[in-house]
Amino acid sequence: MKLFHFSIIKFTLCIIIGVIIAKLFSISVLASLLLSVSFTAITIILYLIFKNRRNYNYIFGIATYLTFIAFGVFTTNINEDLSKATHFSYFVNKSKSTQTITFRVRELLKPNAFSERYYVDILKVNDSKVIGKALINLQKDSLQTQLPIDGIYITKTNLVAVKTPLNPDQFSYKNYLEKQQVHYQLYANPQNILKTQDAKHTLFGYASRFREHINTKLSHYQYSNDQLSIINALILGQRQNITKEVYDNYTNAGAIHILAVSGLHVGIILLILNFIFKPVERLKNGKVLKTLILLMLLWTYALIAGGSASIIRATTMFSIVAIGINLKRPTNIYNTLAISVFVLLLIKPNFLFDVGFQLSYAAVIAIVSFQPILEALWTPKYKLVNLLWKTLTVTVSAQFGIIPISLYYFHQFPSLFWLSNLIVIPFLSLILGLGLLVITLSLFGLPKTFLSDAFGEVINWMNQFFGWISNQEDFLIIDIPFTVLQVVVSYILIFCIYALYHHKNYKWIQFTLASIIALQLSYIFNQYQSKGDLFVIFHKSRNTIIGKKYNDQLAIYSNLKNAETNTIIRSYAVKNSLKPLPSKPLTSVYKFNDKHVLIVDSLGVYNLQNIAIDYVLLTQSPRVNLERLIDSLQPKAIIADGNNYKSYVKRWDKTCKKQKLPFYQTGKTGAFILKN
């Protein structure tokens, strides 16, 4: 099948290119609008000129593609809240330490160790009406209940720009939030926020209250916290209350997609609804009526399940499938996928950079491409074996699509993924159906029954099974270095293998071999980049971590036990293809090439002879006379890591300014790095 014979696929690719261009280059809304209008006008004119001249159709085609690229740029720009004059960032008085902020709660997030977290819409800054989305960190309080969705509150605090990571190659929460249109955050205490009485309810607010109502009803069935959290994730799309242990078990077992309501869940629900409403087809215009009912119920479920990127993507795709199936319109799965991507990116271009969005589409494309090939390798005689074989081929096929992306983002590969999916996926339809039935019975007020107990036991069994899979640590491959270049080359190789299977000619053998060589060269390039020496003072609150990189090895010195397993070190080592060595205790002086770094700790001792000190690291809040130290050692710079009292760091900063000496504070400027 020649995919590029379908216009919608080519137009979707053009939209994607436009979105990427808008992110890479700073193009104003006005400029992108003018480009869109200009290319549209040119395309119409060219169509009128060449519509009867087939030899010149390619000119019209090029203009059409450029028009859709311009649309991609324009839609991306108009969806950027920061580009709008009413965004709250333009109304913050930077000379004041606090502002009066009015906000509406939009979405509950997973809490961290210190705070309950929410996405909020900023409605007012002082007396100015504004727009924009922010993250609020609400200090944990045992007496404080969760803020209701749509609740409007007023507080006095300040909006702070989300910071970039302080250590190299660390996960950037700033970049993640920017994709959610969140550039600022605020911190507040529950006692310092005041609820107003003029809250206007949105559909998301009604959906949240309905989920709360469901959970209240389910509480009568006496489910444990782990059971209830999995039910909420599996059916209601809410994963905030899953414990880290349970979440990690599902992740390490390669089954985390089960807890994210997406294409798998929406597809199963569509099949269930399609079966339930089959009798409607007997009515006059029954197929149209049935299609409308299915669409209404699918989107109602999407709203109740939280309306995340994966849910919206899946619901859009299966809405198109539902229309095609019930109105007997011939559909092509690649066309369906392209239409859903096209529509979603026109509405919200940032979906393109959502990891779940990428994984979902990659998995579906891989399944429809590779599953028929794998299934044809064997035809079992027995129905049960055939079902298991089909499940296995679907699971393995999906890996062709998701492995490169998964390795890039998560740097691990659960090699027992096939077992997890082989056992659970065949029963997922029954599990979801039973769950929906139990929820329905609870809403009607039916007491605890055999069905509710059975569903609880199924959830327990799932948790225990994935816990067991997760404990098979020898089968979990972690800390795998993988770059963007390797992602691109991997997909080229996968495409070449697919094309070679279908065409089996010399040309595709050449392309496949060339892509294998390119993948090998990408690994060699990574090794080449890792060459060279570095001396790094990492930022770590209440601890000191120093790294010395020698080609592909990383020596670690720290007052922290097993520092080589710390997230900061692991992330840095994986991203740079380094082998971290077991950590060693800190010493007083480090030599890096021809430079010397002195460590002054809580003892404050720095008696040195015949060694020229280039840099001084202050750690563990030493009580030293910094002016005397500077006069004595004449260093090139003073460094303070995260293992110091803030009051000391402020005093040292003033002293260095007075002495006109560079002062590096890792808590502000990030890790201090020396290169050879």
Side-chain angles (χ1 to χ4, degrees), residues 434-447:
L434 181 59
L436 291 171
L437 179 59
V438 168
I439 288 175
T440 304
L441 294 177
S442 71
L443 291 174
F444 282 103
L446 269 71

Side-chain angles (χ1 to χ4, degrees), residues 117-168:
R117 301 183 303 157
Y118 304 83
Y119 284 144
V120 297
D121 292 318
I122 306 298
L123 304 179
K124 283 185 181 181
V125 173
N126 299 320
D127 294 323
S128 303
K129 290 185 177 181
V130 296
I131 64 166
K133 190 177 171 185
L135 171 70
I136 184 169
N137 300 275
L138 202 61
Q139 186 178 330
K140 279 190 174 180
D141 187 335
S142 59
L143 300 178
Q144 175 69 25
T145 57
Q146 289 182 349
L147 302 186
I149 305 300
D150 283 347
I152 297 179
Y153 295 84
I154 298 175
T155 186
K156 273 192 171 290
T157 184
N158 211 349
L159 287 153
V160 183
V162 180
K163 295 180 180 178
T164 55
L166 293 171
N167 291 300

Side-chain angles (χ1 to χ4, degrees), residues 551-624:
N551 290 327
D552 64 343
Q553 292 191 333
L554 182 65
I556 305 155
Y557 304 89
S558 178
N559 63 333
L560 188 65
K561 282 188 177 182
N562 301 318
E564 69 276 9
T565 62
N566 186 269
T567 304
I568 294 170
I569 296 299
R570 284 182 60 189
S571 178
Y572 181 71
V574 170
K575 290 280 187 178
N576 293 278
S577 303
L578 301 176
K579 300 173 185 175
L581 303 176
S583 59
K584 298 178 180 178
L586 294 165
T587 58
S588 58
V589 178
Y590 292 92
K591 185 178 180 181
F592 178 73
N593 294 334
D594 59 343
K595 300 179 180 66
H596 289 88
V597 181
L598 172 68
I599 311 296
V600 180
D601 59 17
S602 58
L603 298 176
V605 177
Y606 57 91
N607 291 326
L608 297 169
Q609 294 181 352
N610 302 323
I611 298 179
I613 297 299
D614 298 280
Y615 301 94
V616 175
L617 170 62
L618 302 174
T619 184
Q620 300 176 17
S621 305
R623 296 184 179 182
V624 294

Side-chain angles (χ1 to χ4, degrees), residues 193-418:
I193 63 172
L194 176 66
K195 187 173 183 180
T196 66
Q197 300 300 317
D198 59 347
K200 295 180 180 178
H201 298 306
T202 65
L203 290 176
F204 290 105
Y206 287 119
S208 174
R209 279 191 292 279
F210 185 60
R211 288 195 299 270
E212 290 174 6
H213 180 63
I214 290 173
N215 278 284
T216 301
K217 293 293 186 179
L218 288 176
S219 65
H220 299 310
Y221 293 161
Q222 299 176 343
Y223 290 131
S224 67
N225 289 336
D226 280 346
Q227 288 174 319
L228 203 56
S229 65
I230 295 299
I231 293 171
N232 272 272
L234 191 67
I235 299 174
L236 301 179
Q238 306 301 303
R239 299 190 291 181
Q240 300 93 336
N241 296 320
I242 301 176
T243 63
K244 186 178 185 305
E245 180 185 359
V246 172
Y247 189 86
D248 287 346
N249 286 343
Y250 278 76
T251 301
N252 296 338
I256 193 61
H257 59 282
I258 291 173
L259 299 183
V261 175
S262 57
L264 183 63
H265 301 70
V266 177
I268 290 171
I269 289 172
L270 175 60
L271 289 175
I272 294 171
L273 293 175
N274 197 53
F275 174 76
I276 292 173
F277 289 97
K278 187 76 173 173
V280 176
E281 294 182 4
R282 299 174 184 174
L283 302 175
K284 184 179 180 181
N285 298 320
K287 289 184 178 179
V288 175
L289 178 60
K290 177 188 171 186
T291 302
L292 292 175
I293 292 171
L294 292 180
L295 292 178
M296 182 184 68
L297 291 176
L298 281 179
W299 283 101
T300 300
Y301 175 72
L303 183 64
I304 293 171
S308 68
S310 61
I311 297 169
I312 297 298
R313 188 275 309 165
T315 307
T316 302
M317 184 176 70
F318 280 102
S319 294
I320 297 166
V321 171
I323 292 170
I325 291 174
N326 290 287
L327 299 185
K328 303 300 181 184
R329 297 290 190 269
T331 58
N332 174 278
I333 186 61
Y334 296 107
N335 249 355
T336 302
L337 290 170
I339 292 170
S340 63
V341 173
F342 185 87
V343 172
L344 289 173
L345 293 185
L346 283 180
I347 297 171
K348 192 173 180 181
N350 276 348
F351 272 158
L352 181 63
F353 306 100
D354 184 273
V355 180
F357 182 91
Q358 295 169 10
L359 288 172
S360 295
Y361 276 102
V364 174
I365 292 171
I367 289 169
V368 299
S369 300
F370 287 97
Q371 197 272 337
I373 298 173
L374 296 180
E375 187 182 352
L377 296 176
W378 182 41
T379 306
K381 296 180 180 180
Y382 303 103
K383 288 185 178 180
L384 178 59
V385 178
N386 192 43
L387 173 63
L388 293 176
W389 172 242
K390 286 184 178 179
T391 303
L392 182 61
T393 57
V394 168
T395 301
V396 173
S397 299
Q399 298 304 310
F400 284 102
I402 68 176
I403 281 179
I405 297 174
S406 183
L407 290 180
Y408 174 71
Y409 285 112
F410 309 115
H411 303 287
Q412 68 177 38
F413 178 67
S415 57
L416 289 180
F417 71 89
W418 60 272

